[in-house]
Amino acid sequence: MLYSTFIKKAEELTIQQLDNGIWYLEPEWQDMIYRNILYKNDLNELDDLEDSYLDGWYTLEDILKLEVTKRNSVIDKKNDVINWLYDVITATIEPTILQEETDYIKNVVEFMKVNHNLDAGDSDEDK
């Protein structure tokens, strides 16, 4: 089996994702390797790999942990962008909208005052 195929299969079988999007290495991944999952998928012998530099299961563990870190860093960047957008909206757009709403209400109140004064003037002329 090729090294790249081995690593991809090992990642698929041992790296899991939580509902919130965070990736993690299955805590019992070594038991799974030695007993069931990887053995059933022909991933039990490191010596049979072609073009491999793996010198043991600890090297594989390091590779799997780095893959988890890489996947989570992508999520972190998305969260940074989401947080930046939230800051822009709350610091720039919301105050602008609130100011426009305030100006609109002031104009409505002024219109009502003028309209009330006109109505009061018409009532005096009718008498």
Side-chain angles (χ1 to χ4, degrees):
M1 177 182 296
L2 292 175
Y3 167 79
S4 59
T5 305
F6 177 86
I7 293 297
K8 289 297 178 196
K9 281 187 179 181
E11 288 173 359
E12 289 173 12
L13 296 169
T14 59
I15 297 175
Q16 306 295 321
Q17 187 174 30
L18 297 172
D19 291 339
N20 64 2
I22 302 296
W23 294 93
Y24 68 96
L25 179 60
E26 183 65 42
E28 301 296 325
W29 77 273
Q30 289 178 337
D31 286 340
M32 292 188 317
I33 287 174
Y34 294 127
R35 297 215 172 103
N36 291 325
I37 294 177
L38 295 183
Y39 181 77
K40 289 178 184 176
N41 287 279
D42 296 326
L43 301 178
N44 54 338
E45 294 298 330
L46 296 178
D47 297 335
D48 295 341
L49 294 177
E50 299 174 24
D51 300 331
S52 173
Y53 63 88
L54 292 177
D55 57 0
W57 292 106
Y58 291 110
T59 307
L60 177 61
E61 180 179 17
D62 291 342
I63 291 169
L64 294 173
K65 286 181 179 179
L66 287 171
E67 178 64 24
V68 168
T69 303
K70 180 182 93 173
R71 292 180 185 188
N72 285 330
S73 69
V74 170
I75 291 172
D76 289 343
K77 289 179 184 175
K78 287 180 186 175
N79 287 337
D80 290 343
V81 170
I82 290 169
N83 289 336
W84 175 78
L85 282 173
Y86 175 79
D87 291 343
V88 167
I89 290 170
T90 56
T92 307
I93 297 172
E94 281 184 8
T96 304
I97 291 172
L98 289 175
Q99 184 61 43
E100 288 178 5
E101 289 174 350
T102 303
D103 291 344
Y104 176 76
I105 290 175
K106 284 180 183 177
N107 290 337
V108 168
V109 169
E110 286 297 319
F111 175 78
M112 290 174 66
K113 284 181 183 177
V114 169
N115 197 19
H116 177 70
N117 289 340
L118 288 176
D119 287 343
D122 288 343
S123 298
D124 292 340
E125 292 176 6
D126 292 339
K127 293 180 184 177

